[in-house]
Amino acid sequence: MLNKRETLIVISGPSGSGKSTLVKEVLSLYGPEKMGTLVSYTSRPPRRSEKEGCEYHFVSKEQFLFLKEKNFFAEWTYVYENYYGTSIEQINKHWNEGRTIIKDFDLQGADAIKKIYPQALRVFIHPPSLEELKNRVYNRQENEKKDIEIRMEQAKEEIKQASYFDYQLKNANISDTVGRLKKIIEEYLEKA
Ligand code: 5GP
């Protein structure tokens, strides 16, 4: 069945809260016919585990700004000293092919998306604690020390804004969080 409802699930929360793992879990739960994500464009260099076209399209700052000027992005942000943006074309493709979209955004992006697509469901993911968050960000190892500090400072600010979201989930145990997120999604899709 075609998804004429243009459903979109926005996952936000501090760096290291587990957003991208949750997105991956939800994608595999629903399968590629029903659920899709967006491969954003970023000027951030790839982490060792990341591949072009999988987690992101990796572009230079100049290329990013060129695309921005061409109105290529539905929304874009500058966070942790890099650009990130979502392509309008990818959003429309998913909807035309009947899929719900799930994607992680920074807080500014979550806001921007809600303004453009008011039907979007927004879920904020909390880490179990700030201490655990620091361990997760630190354990990625590929983040430089300065980047870790920026991400930790930003996390404290972001958590203050969690109450503006439709739902908040604490991500202590991934399978437990996926279960709770699934219930929220089911309810959203039923009403959409
Ligand atoms: P990371 O560098 O950890 O992959 O991502 C940094 C932040 O950018 C995360 O909060 C992530 O959710 C967010 N992000 C990733 N893609 C986009 C996007 O297309 N737009 C916006 N606004 N934020 C994004």
Side-chain angles (χ1 to χ4, degrees):
M1 192 183 78
L2 275 189
N3 170 18
K4 300 237 181 271
R5 302 161 299 171
E6 307 195 333
T7 41
L8 170 59
I9 302 154
V10 170
I11 305 290
S12 277
S15 176
S17 58
K19 289 169 296 179
S20 27
T21 311
L22 282 171
V23 168
K24 277 186 199 143
E25 293 285 331
V26 170
L27 285 170
S28 72
L29 206 63
Y30 283 86
E33 301 273 300
K34 286 192 177 156
M35 190 77 66
T37 192
L38 306 167
V39 182
S40 296
Y41 288 69
T42 183
S43 63
R44 163 169 85 58
R47 296 181 184 133
R48 268 193 296 274
S49 57
E50 293 176 331
K51 289 201 172 61
E52 162 57 32
C54 292
E55 290 80 6
Y56 288 104
H57 292 295
F58 297 97
V59 294
S60 65
K61 284 194 173 155
E62 292 70 25
Q63 284 170 316
F64 190 97
L65 294 173
F66 176 79
L67 290 169
K68 181 171 96 55
E69 285 309 303
K70 298 266 171 217
N71 293 324
F72 181 80
F73 299 119
E75 65 75 45
W76 64 275
T77 193
Y78 185 77
V79 67
Y80 314 131
E81 301 187 337
N82 276 299
Y83 292 102
Y84 297 80
T86 324
S87 115
I88 299 173
E89 203 180 296
Q90 285 182 30
I91 295 177
N92 290 336
K93 186 169 193 301
H94 279 311
W95 284 342
N96 287 337
E97 293 174 3
R99 283 183 287 275
T100 294
I101 299 169
I102 184 163
K103 168 76 181 112
D104 63 295
F105 291 92
D106 79 322
L107 266 76
Q108 199 184 310
D111 248 14
I113 284 285
K114 185 78 181 176
K115 287 202 179 93
I116 314 167
Y117 307 112
Q119 76 275 26
L121 170 76
R122 291 187 304 170
V123 183
F124 189 94
I125 308 299
H126 288 271
S129 65
L130 279 178
E131 199 46 43
E132 175 59 22
L133 188 71
K134 193 168 186 181
N135 289 339
R136 290 184 189 178
V137 175
Y138 198 79
N139 284 339
R140 274 186 193 153
Q141 284 176 347
E142 293 149 60
N143 289 321
E144 288 171 17
K145 191 164 182 287
K146 182 168 151 257
D147 189 40
I148 295 173
E149 281 160 15
I150 297 174
R151 284 172 188 255
M152 288 307 298
E153 276 316 301
Q154 186 125 343
K156 292 178 199 153
E157 289 308 309
E158 286 171 341
I159 288 169
K160 289 184 195 157
Q161 296 180 50
S163 61
Y164 297 116
F165 280 71
D166 300 313
Y167 291 91
Q168 300 181 45
L169 291 177
K170 187 175 261 204
N171 185 21
N173 170 293
I174 189 79
S175 63
D176 184 56
T177 314
V178 172
R180 286 181 292 144
L181 183 55
K182 182 170 180 267
K183 272 197 192 143
I184 293 170
I185 294 174
E186 295 289 297
E187 212 174 279
Y188 167 67
L189 294 180
E190 241 168 60
K191 286 191 198 149

